[in-house]
Every structure is written in C-alpha cells, then in structure tokens.
Amino acid sequence: YKLFTLDNPHRLVLDIADTELKSKLDETMLKDSGISRVRYAHEKGRVRIVFDLDSKVSSSSFILAPNQSY
C-alpha cells in the first residue's frame, strides 16, 4: 500500500495493490469527521481511495504484528 497527502484541495490518498473493492463505501458516517467526501477507483488490480478533507492533516502508517486470531 501507499499513503500520501495532497494539497489544493486537501486530500489523503490510499493506494492498495493487488486488491479489489467489492462493495460501495458508506459516506453516511462522514458528518463532523473532517472528511467531506470519499472517492475511489479501480485500476489494474489496484484500488485508490481518496479522502477529500476539510483541512490539512499529517499522516502516518504502520504494520501491526500478527496476533493469535489473524
């Protein structure tokens, strides 16, 4: 995966390789979240999810170690 931010307008972008999105994203929970809209696209086995933001954010990501269930 790849996670990055863009400006003008402020966006957070998540690219996930070797995957597909099998259902629509539910935007009803966006009220007062700082996210004004969620968009997504499929392209050659990759899903890109774009979060349109109300203001600039900083992002970080990390991989969790497996546990007993997963």
Side-chain angles (χ1 to χ4, degrees), residues 8-65:
N8 297 325
H10 299 297
R11 290 158 287 164
L12 179 73
V13 180
L14 176 61
D15 284 338
I16 306 170
D18 300 322
T19 194
E20 62 184 73
L21 194 58
K22 293 192 176 207
S23 63
K24 291 185 176 184
L25 297 174
D26 182 7
E27 294 188 35
T28 60
M29 298 183 294
L30 297 180
K31 185 177 179 181
D32 300 323
S33 68
I35 302 170
S36 58
R37 185 171 67 155
V38 178
R39 299 176 282 134
Y40 57 94
H42 300 254
E43 182 180 299
K44 299 178 185 174
R46 179 186 79 177
V47 172
R48 170 170 281 185
I49 304 171
V50 179
F51 299 90
D52 293 335
L53 306 171
D54 295 334
S55 61
K56 186 175 184 171
V57 298
S58 60
S59 66
S60 64
S61 66
F62 54 91
I63 297 175
L64 296 173

